[in-house]
Amino acid sequence: MLAQQAAGCGEVPVGAVVVKDDQIVGRGSNAPITRHDPSAHAEIAALRDAAANLGNYRLVDCELFVTLEPCVMCVGAMFHARIARVVFGASDFKTGAAGSVLNLFDTSKLNHHARVEGGVLAEECGKVLSDFFAMRRAQKKL
């Protein structure tokens, strides 16, 4: 639903939620185009929402679920928030920082590490993305 919300605004369809104790505490969808903000990724929005709802920028014992593999910026924000676990759907072979292009979660010199699980509902998440870009390409031909 969050990914479709982004697509409806002309944004790349990515959605994210932060969960603590089996409850959603933060939600976000991509909005860098509409907000004129390169940091307005779904993960950043979900982290900000969760931090505001929990009253703390440290999101210890929280998990982040996102439809697309996080980029370097988003992984960095997750480290600073102390996210315990990250679950993503589709891999991002252009900017993915959780294993596709590089794996920041595996960098031993960094001070925080989260458990990562990728490829969860990858086909479904990937289809939302590929359908979106196919539609955009078709619109450009008109």
Side-chain angles (χ1 to χ4, degrees):
M1 183 163 117
L2 291 166
Q4 283 94 356
Q5 178 182 340
C9 295
E11 301 281 356
V12 174
V14 179
V17 294
V18 176
V19 174
K20 183 176 176 89
D21 299 325
D22 297 322
Q23 298 293 316
I24 295 175
V25 295
R27 292 174 170 81
S29 57
N30 254 11
I33 298 166
T34 54
R35 292 193 182 156
H36 309 290
D37 179 359
S39 71
H41 288 196
E43 301 95 309
I44 301 295
L47 291 169
R48 287 177 177 158
D49 190 36
N53 288 331
L54 296 175
N56 194 339
Y57 78 103
R58 295 281 196 213
L59 302 175
V60 177
D61 298 324
C62 289
E63 301 172 304
L64 188 141
F65 296 81
V66 61
T67 56
L68 181 65
E69 180 179 357
C71 70
V72 171
M73 173 184 67
C74 293
V75 171
M78 291 174 207
F79 284 168
H80 287 288
R82 301 297 192 262
I83 291 291
R85 179 175 172 233
V86 178
V87 178
F88 68 88
S91 295
D92 185 343
F93 297 106
K94 293 183 180 180
T95 63
S100 290
V101 175
L102 53 100
N103 191 345
L104 289 177
F105 292 104
D106 225 14
T107 304
S108 62
K109 290 185 178 184
L110 295 174
N111 68 332
H112 178 72
H113 296 91
R115 295 183 325 274
V116 179
E117 185 177 349
V120 175
L121 299 174
E123 190 174 314
E124 294 90 333
C125 293
K127 183 170 177 13
V128 170
L129 288 158
S130 60
D131 288 352
F132 173 80
F133 287 113
M135 180 191 68
R136 293 270 298 262
R137 285 189 297 277
Q139 288 175 341
K140 285 183 180 182
K141 291 180 181 179
L142 297 178

